[in-house]
Amino acid sequence: MNRLLGAVEAPLLHMMTLNVRRPMPSLLSSPSDRWARRRPALVSMLRRESPSILCTQEVLPGPAAEIAAALGPSFARIGVGRRRGGRGEGCPVFFDRDRLEPLHHRQRALSDTPDVLGTRSWGNLVPRIVTVGVFRDRTTGARFAVVNTHLDPFSARSRMRGVEAIRTEVRGTGLPTLVFGDMNSGAESDALRALRAGDLLTDTWTVAAERVTPAWGTYAGYRAPVRDGKRIDVILATSDIEVERVGIDARTEDGIAPSDHLAVHAALEVPR
């Protein structure tokens, strides 16, 4: 199976986002959802695609270690769990150290007390976080920021307040910035419109020079993907970033889906 975007060579960077779906007890999951079944498919996909940056959601410590091993020894990660002490499920960002130099990073709670991990506000039942990293492209010298998140699926108020916090993070970087995540809301929802308001961010899917796949709905739930369905998993970019190709990977690995979500990819160039 070929790479979804084909060869991505400098000055382009290959970016990818994926909700990997946390492992669940067997009694609470269908056969398609079981981690033991999905893990080899996820590993195969990651080894084939090998993005420069992989932003992930719903990642527990065990799967995080397996993702890192699949990507290879040149990869490192930023981001820990969303609960106090960095425990539990997180939104880690994996990056290729051969291509990218990490300059600094931070993780904040999406709450009224963002510096205290594990805190909840705004109606979400579990803590929500944002992981922020700043990188330098070793090949081009370009500096840019990455923001990765997983917004609440139940509370519209929480999603809107999370959007406000993300916009503050983007404005604060002072750099070309990319926002990745499972937004639990479609690309034309109130939350995503608010996130893009005022031309702060653009949807890489709509501004790309080429779309290599249909606009699949990104929450497939182990079923056949829906053309022109809800794109709740997105890659957004500030307008100074040039997007060459994008795609949503609906392929399976020998009939097995790596996750209940589909991976979203972009090949793009960050200004120097």
Side-chain angles (χ1 to χ4, degrees), residues 109-111 122 130 160-170:
L110 292 176
S111 77
W122 315 331
V130 61
M160 291 300 288
R161 292 296 301 272
V163 161
E164 293 172 13
I166 292 166
R167 286 174 62 86
T168 297
E169 293 289 342
V170 173

Side-chain angles (χ1 to χ4, degrees), residues 141-159:
R143 297 184 181 218
F144 64 97
V146 165
V147 178
N148 183 36
T149 196
H150 184 187
L151 296 183
D152 194 76
F154 305 114
S155 170
R157 178 171 178 259
S158 175
R159 288 193 294 275

Side-chain angles (χ1 to χ4, degrees), residues 65-105:
E66 293 181 281
I67 290 168
L71 290 169
S74 70
F75 279 78
R77 70 171 180 173
I78 57 173
V80 294
R82 64 191 180 188
R83 297 193 178 275
R84 293 183 187 274
R87 296 177 293 106
E89 178 184 310
C91 294
V93 176
F94 298 84
F95 62 96
D96 184 356
R97 290 176 295 183
D98 287 347
R99 178 70 186 271
L100 300 170
E101 175 190 3
L103 300 180
H104 57 84
H105 64 88

Side-chain angles (χ1 to χ4, degrees), residues 3-24:
R3 292 184 178 182
L4 187 78
L5 297 182
V8 179
E9 299 177 353
L12 296 178
L13 286 161
H14 180 181
M15 306 292 193
M16 175 178 170
T17 187
L18 175 64
N19 181 323
V20 302
R21 174 60 174 162
R22 63 182 293 166
M24 299 292 289

Side-chain angles (χ1 to χ4, degrees), residues 82 84 109-114 116-121 124 127-128:
R82 64 191 180 188
R84 293 183 187 274
L110 292 176
S111 77
D112 290 328
T113 51
V116 183
L117 287 185
T119 53
R120 296 179 291 115
S121 303
N124 43 297
R128 296 290 167 187

